[in-house]
Amino acid sequence: ERCKAFEGMAPEKLGFQIYRCSGEDPEHPARELLLSAAQPRGWHSQKMCKYPQELVLRLDRPSWVTQIQILSHEHKIPSKVEIFTGMPQEGLAPEPENCSMKKLGHLSFDSNERSNPQARELKSVHINTKALLLRFVLQECHMNRLNSYSQVGIVAINIKGEPMAEYNGAAALQQALHTLTMAEPAMERPP
């Protein structure tokens, strides 16, 4: 079973929501990652946070994920980001609590000293895996004169792939079952 993107079709940008976040700077909350602004502000961890920091995204529906792009902040740079994916176990509803997580690997970010912490680093990972959840575990920050509160920041996350068609039917079936259980029982006619 393979994603169509590997068969010559271009992957699409996948929508997501913030499922969980270990902490955030009030001026740069995780929901900033949902905005598509020309100059995105992104998410920053809280000041003087404990590491590791965690950010979990929930895709709009189970999908084949083919690419993950992470744009780091120019001076609130994580030293390493570990990436995990979560997919519901076979036969269970596509909900986060039914997901088992699998570690894909990690990305290392440059300290950005050469650019005098001015440039942002974009990391792209090409994969081919099913996912409903994406979990990012951010390790300690690179220290520099502009990051006096030891924070990490992600300016943007882009996820590409293809929604899984078989889950459309599962969602419809789940809704139909819910509707049936909520309906009043039918009255029997006397003979």
Side-chain angles (χ1 to χ4, degrees), residues 43-45 51-53 70-82 107-112 121 123 136-144 147 150-155:
W43 163 78
H44 297 186
S45 65
Y51 288 98
Q53 288 289 295
I70 302 174
L71 182 61
S72 75
H73 190 270
E74 59 272 12
H75 59 266
K76 296 176 181 175
I77 308 165
S79 58
K80 180 168 78 171
V81 177
E82 296 173 306
L107 301 171
S108 295
F109 285 85
D110 187 74
S111 66
N112 208 4
E121 185 177 2
K123 292 283 189 174
F136 302 95
V137 178
L138 295 88
Q139 300 299 334
E140 288 82 12
C141 64
H142 285 292
M143 292 304 298
N144 60 63
N147 191 4
S150 302
Q151 294 171 274
V152 289
I154 301 292
V155 175

Side-chain angles (χ1 to χ4, degrees), residues 155-177:
V155 175
I157 295 178
N158 191 18
I159 303 163
K160 293 184 179 181
E162 178 184 331
M164 294 175 65
E166 62 262 28
Y167 274 90
N168 292 341
L173 177 61
Q174 191 76 9
Q175 181 59 40
L177 289 172

Side-chain angles (χ1 to χ4, degrees), residues 13-43:
K13 186 174 179 178
L14 299 173
F16 62 84
Q17 299 300 314
I18 306 301
Y19 181 67
R20 184 174 55 239
C21 176
S22 58
E24 58 190 13
D25 185 315
E27 294 180 23
H28 296 276
R31 70 177 175 272
E32 291 285 331
L33 294 170
L34 303 174
L35 307 175
S36 41
Q39 294 292 320
R41 293 170 17 106
W43 163 78

Side-chain angles (χ1 to χ4, degrees), residues 59 61-65 85-88 129-134 164:
L59 298 176
R61 61 186 209 206
S63 301
W64 278 102
V65 177
T85 58
M87 188 65 186
T129 190
K130 298 176 191 178
L132 175 64
L133 296 179
L134 292 169
M164 294 175 65

Side-chain angles (χ1 to χ4, degrees), residues 2-12 66 128 161-162:
R2 287 177 57 89
C3 172
K4 291 180 188 172
F6 284 95
E7 297 170 4
M9 295 180 69
E12 63 184 76
T66 58
N128 184 28
E162 178 184 331

